[in-house]
């Protein structure tokens, strides 16, 4: 089924002067003839004339109904599919064969040596075993020195290194020399 596209133009309201055209009716006919011939040059075919109502503004708030004369033209629609000219591909026998693709095998997985371990070996070991008590490298003197730097006036004695530090009355810091107490 053919498909058409349409063009609607207003009919001329005034005649057109031309050579050997005399009178109002001849000038009006000449105007319509020129319009139709002009559009037919672009492929438009005259279909019909219509008189249709048009509502227009009149004044500030009013409207009026005007009757307009129009001319309807049509032409066959050029579809994109008809205008499209695809390039034909050569026949399959004319196509050269594709080069053979060699397939690489993935490398074999590398097996690492593992030592046999009992299933529950070391699972229930305590982090603070007595076996590791000899591995302590920090002597109590070093701990005392660190503690005395952090809190002036408090030291850990050699015999109670596990006990908390307590201030000694002889080593109480002088508050007049402490920069934190002067404000």
């Amino acid at each position: 089924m053919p498909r058409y596209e349409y063009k609607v133009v207003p009919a001329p309201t005034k005649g057109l002067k031309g050579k050997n055209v005399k009178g109002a009716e001849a000038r009006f006919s000449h105007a319509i003839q020129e319009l139709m011939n002009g559009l037919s040059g672009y492929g438009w075919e005259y279909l019909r004339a219509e008189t249709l109502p048009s509502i227009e503004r009149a004044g500030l708030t009013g409207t009026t109904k005007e009757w307009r004369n129009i001319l309807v033209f049509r032409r066959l629609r050029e579809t994109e599919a008809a205008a499209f000219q695809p390039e034909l591909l050569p026949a399959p026998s004319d196509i050269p064969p594709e080069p053979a693709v060699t397939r690489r095998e993935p490398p074999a997985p590398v097996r690492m040596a593992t030592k046999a371990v009992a299933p529950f070996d070391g699972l229930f070991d305590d982090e603070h075993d007595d076996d590791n008590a000899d591995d302590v490298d920090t002597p109590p003197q070093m701990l005392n020195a660190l503690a005395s730097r952090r809190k002036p006036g408090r030291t850990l004695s050699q015999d109670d290194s596990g006990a908390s530090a307590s201030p000694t009355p002889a080593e109480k810091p002088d508050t007049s020399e402490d920069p934190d107490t002067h404000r």
Side-chain angles (χ1 to χ4, degrees):
M1 180 178 174
R3 295 187 179 254
Y4 295 100
E5 61 181 332
Y6 295 90
K7 184 172 189 96
V8 178
V9 295
T13 56
K14 187 176 176 184
L16 186 63
K17 292 182 182 179
K19 189 175 180 182
N20 296 331
V21 178
K22 300 202 191 281
E25 287 180 359
R27 287 184 179 160
F28 184 72
S29 299
H30 182 65
I32 292 176
Q33 176 184 326
E34 289 298 315
L35 177 66
M36 289 182 174
N37 287 336
L39 288 175
S40 68
Y42 292 104
W44 293 100
E45 174 188 356
Y46 172 73
L47 189 61
R48 66 177 174 258
E50 297 283 337
T51 303
L52 298 172
S54 172
I55 298 177
E56 298 176 359
R57 290 182 68 175
L60 291 174
T61 59
T63 58
T64 61
K65 185 186 289 187
E66 294 286 330
W67 292 89
R68 300 287 177 195
N69 296 314
I70 57 172
L71 303 174
V72 182
F73 296 85
R74 74 175 183 182
R75 71 176 171 189
L76 284 173
R77 181 180 297 175
E78 231 181 82
T79 61
E80 292 179 16
F84 178 67
Q85 298 295 324
E87 178 184 343
L88 294 176
L89 296 176
S93 62
D94 297 342
I95 297 176
E98 292 184 20
V101 178
T102 58
R103 184 175 219 178
R104 285 187 176 178
E105 293 296 326
V110 177
R111 294 194 178 250
M112 301 182 95
T114 58
K115 73 176 193 179
V117 178
F120 299 107
D121 188 24
L123 184 63
F124 299 106
D125 288 347
D126 189 13
E127 290 180 9
H128 306 289
D129 276 347
D130 291 332
D131 299 342
N132 297 334
D134 297 336
D135 295 343
V136 176
D137 294 331
T138 311
Q141 294 87 8
M142 183 180 274
L143 291 175
N144 284 337
L146 289 172
S148 66
R149 286 185 198 158
R150 293 185 78 191
K151 296 179 182 175
R154 295 179 177 242
T155 60
L156 290 175
S157 64
Q158 191 78 319
D159 47 84
D160 60 1
S161 60
S164 62
S166 62
T168 59
E171 295 179 357
K172 247 188 186 171
D174 186 15
T175 56
S176 63
E177 294 178 5
D178 191 13
D180 291 337
T181 57
H182 293 354
R183 294 191 184 187

